[in-house]
Amino acid sequence: TFAIGGPLPPYGTAGVRCVLYCATDGDAGRASGLEVSSRAELGRLRRAELAAAARSLGIVDVRHGGHADGALGAVDVDSLVGEIAGFLRAHRPDVVLTFGPEGAPTAHRDHRAISRAATAAFFLAGMEHAYPEQLAAGQAPHRAARLYYVTWEPPPSEGVPVPRGLPPSARLPLDPRLLDAKRRAFDAHRSQHELRPRFDELALKPEELYHLASGAPQPQQVVDDLFAGL
């Protein structure tokens, strides 16, 4: 919703099958005034919110890792990478999107950890020697064509420390219809509504930006379609 929600509806309409791996349930976050009795209840609530937002954006499948929110960096790295590699082998995507190594404008430690794990999985999912238990279970190696990191152009606001993103190699325009789709998806995340001013500032831009981290070269230095030339 925050970072890649804009182009998903038109890609889905065009026949692109969009799927999502979510490592944590967000149960260590705030509830934006909603009454929740425990972290477990907040986690269940956020799973339901994510499911609703995903449906509104055209995401057809969501895999939950169920790892501890805020502590993804403490998870066994090989196990986490293996989960994502298995996800890639199962769904066999052409394009993989994830956070950049700096963790997006929030620099959240879980965002940084998932960037490292997803990057490693992008390569290892295509290697025949990696995670042989998956191969024995019938999964075949798969190497996606491209890996993109979410990025942005600073500064989004004055007085707020924000890490610099990587140079954009894809600029996907968002017309008012797509911005409305992002707003509707954010509406589903009721437990994060206290972040609406930040969402409005950072996410409701006229375009979404991505950095080509690895994979097939683009036909131009900067493209307006993640599948350009594939």
Side-chain angles (χ1 to χ4, degrees):
T1 299
F2 283 71
I4 65 171
L8 294 185
Y11 277 138
T13 300
V16 176
R17 187 173 186 271
C18 300
V19 296
L20 175 67
Y21 173 89
C22 186
T24 79
D25 293 337
D27 58 316
R30 299 177 182 178
S32 296
L34 299 178
E35 292 187 7
V36 292
S37 60
S38 65
R39 283 186 57 165
E41 183 180 357
L42 179 59
R44 289 191 295 270
L45 174 64
R46 287 199 162 182
R47 279 196 183 213
E49 292 172 348
L50 177 59
R55 285 193 300 269
S56 76
L57 293 173
I59 296 172
V60 299
D61 188 40
V62 179
R63 162 78 182 277
H64 294 278
H67 298 290
D69 187 24
L72 195 60
V75 173
D76 178 77
V77 174
D78 195 53
S79 176
L80 178 60
V81 172
E83 284 182 31
I84 303 172
F87 182 78
L88 298 180
R89 286 171 168 176
H91 291 285
R92 313 188 75 76
D94 296 305
V95 173
V96 175
L97 309 177
T98 191
F99 292 109
E102 75 297 313
T106 62
H108 194 290
R109 56 187 177 274
D110 283 354
H111 296 174
R112 300 197 304 269
I114 200 66
S115 175
R116 296 190 296 270
T119 300
F122 171 80
F123 293 101
L124 288 171
M127 296 181 179
E128 294 186 357
H129 70 277
Y131 303 104
E133 69 279 5
Q134 296 176 2
L135 306 178
Q139 288 187 323
H142 174 71
R143 175 69 180 273
R146 286 180 182 147
L147 172 67
Y148 281 101
Y149 293 151
V150 173
T151 191
W152 61 93
E153 291 182 332
S157 63
E158 295 183 4
V160 179
V162 173
R164 181 175 295 275
L166 292 165
S169 14
R171 294 175 174 268
L172 276 60
L174 303 184
D175 60 29
R177 176 179 56 90
L178 298 181
L179 292 175
D180 284 342
K182 290 191 75 168
R183 289 189 188 95
R184 288 193 299 272
F186 181 77
D187 287 342
H189 292 280
R190 295 181 301 137
S191 66
Q192 300 196 55
H193 279 187
E194 67 181 40
L195 299 177
R196 186 178 290 277
R198 189 121 170 106
F199 173 79
D200 291 344
E201 178 188 15
L202 295 179
L204 296 182
K205 300 288 189 181
E207 57 185 4
E208 285 184 6
L209 308 182
Y210 300 86
H211 172 84
L212 178 61
S214 187
Q218 300 178 157
Q220 295 89 32
Q221 185 175 359
V222 178
V223 297
D224 61 3
D225 177 11
L226 301 176
F227 297 86
L230 294 183

